Amino acid sequence: MAKPLKILFVTSEAVPFAKVGGLADVSASLPKALVGRGHDVRVLMPFYKCVKNTGLQFKMVARSVKHRLSGNILGFNLLETDSEGVKFYFLENNRYFDRENVYGPVGGDYVDNALRFGFLDKAVFPTLSAVNFEPDIIHCNDWQTGLIPLYLKFSEHGRIFKNVKTLFTIHNLAYQGIFEKFYMYMLKIPQQLFRIEGVEYYGNINFMKSGILYSDAINTVSKKYSEEIMTEDFGAGMEGVLKTREKDLSGIPNGVDYDIWSPEKDKQIKVNYNRDTLALKSECKKDLMGYFGVTFDEERPVLGYVGRFVHQKGIDLLSGIIDRLVELNVFIVILGSGQERYNAVFKAAAEKYPAHVRVCHEFNDELSHKIEAGCDIFLMPSRYEPCGLNQMYSVKYGTIPVVHATGGLDDAIVDFGDDPKNGNGFKFAPPGTEAFLRGIKRALAVYSDKDAWKRLMQQAMSYDFSWQHSAGEYETLYRKMLL
Ligand code: ADP
């Protein structure tokens, strides 16, 4: 049997400690799946205020660890806790992390994010020494961890941890961590790296570019997105850099933790159900209607949206068809955090059509579960989607997704019209209001045929997007990197 691997997984968010988006789900569920396969996986992340506020118990494992950044010696404490069999380390430094939010005030960034996440990246090495852990692999995630491979290659840490390999996972290429040049000095990045073949990006430094250039291997979170990002349309300016590393770039889809996200086990929904007890799903629909104070009507289709209110998610496509959806006599539930202007549009629609539209402009984990279980149809009109989780959650809840055929949505969803025997949803393209509306109408046409809809729901619910397969792919990739 192959020897178990030692992996340090570094992330800026993880469930149940801090969640902004899908990275948090993945940062909990992938390490858990790898531990389940016998590996020693430890996660490192900042000790934000919201982590403190979880009320969980944290053990102090190292106090005042010395750490040099921007010419100053700064200290941090290292805290530890166990979550579902995975050891989590937290970096406690109140100057950088004791704040209300993870990345910044709503819709913005903290001005010192370069230092906050540069601090995290550089702290990886004193952390490893403090806990006496020499990993085979440091698994980095998104721009917030993009300097780790650079520090390993170009600083004294490289000599100490010379056998350690780095994997850089791109969860979303659009957020790159671009900062002014003067941070080169503050972050102790060697001056010679400030060039086009290095971390320079139009006169600034780019953390994402650093991760792409200096890691041993790179992956994204679906096969389709790994191809898309090498094109101008999806590359967000990184397509050329990615092309230079094409042979080290792969796509591994995210999985789902079915202990949390399945209608059989979900602790936050009214009634648990599975594909053989589908009739119980209508209790969840009733519960969702009750949540919004709306009269329950079994026959009326309920459409749901959960996600950030940003252009990427195609939220403007949804706001663009809201009046026409109401004409179809459906009920629409929208849950999202992000740009206020979309909230204003949906709020106005909810006031105009109280029997048809509801919006919640907040981050609400419980409600997101209720929406997955209580809706008939789930909407994901994302313009691009590296992987996307909700389409996979929806399928398991028998809540049929209507998705734009891009990235992970295209990989996970099989169109019922194209393939009635295997279909688990509906796809549309291009990402425009007319195509989106047509996709929804196709779903509603099948919904009106009870038998066909039930068959579709059961078919969808039998799809398995658990981590089992993807965690195996990560293991294969780690081992290949170590050859
Ligand atoms: P992204 O990471 O781009 O935001 P993903 O689909 O990968 O998108 O993951 C988003 C995750 O965040 C999902 O688990 C989704 O349910 C959750 N989520 C997004 N917005 C909210 C919200 N307002 N309230 C609760 N959960 C949310």
Side-chain angles (χ1 to χ4, degrees), residues 316-384:
D316 52 316
L317 303 184
L318 181 56
S319 62
I321 59 170
I322 204 93
D323 296 282
R324 285 185 286 166
L325 282 180
V326 168
E327 283 167 19
L328 299 173
N329 194 29
V330 299
F331 187 78
I332 311 148
V333 186
I334 300 157
L335 168 65
S337 50
Q339 294 171 12
E340 171 55 37
R341 65 194 162 112
Y342 293 114
N343 179 40
V345 173
F346 294 126
K347 246 170 74 185
E351 274 159 27
K352 192 166 162 197
Y353 311 112
H356 294 275
V357 182
R358 284 291 187 285
V359 61
C360 276
H361 191 226
E362 61 187 16
F363 195 92
N364 186 332
D365 190 52
E366 185 185 2
L367 182 56
S368 73
H369 285 252
K370 283 183 186 294
I371 291 176
E372 282 294 0
C375 288
D376 299 297
I377 292 172
F378 197 90
L379 306 175
M380 290 188 82
S382 311
R383 285 200 166 70
Y384 70 91

Side-chain angles (χ1 to χ4, degrees), residues 212-230:
I212 295 170
L213 284 176
Y214 303 124
S215 53
D216 293 293
I218 309 145
N219 80 296
T220 68
V221 286
S222 67
K223 299 263 184 285
K224 179 99 186 245
Y225 189 63
S226 72
E227 292 154 13
E228 288 173 338
I229 56 174
M230 281 186 287

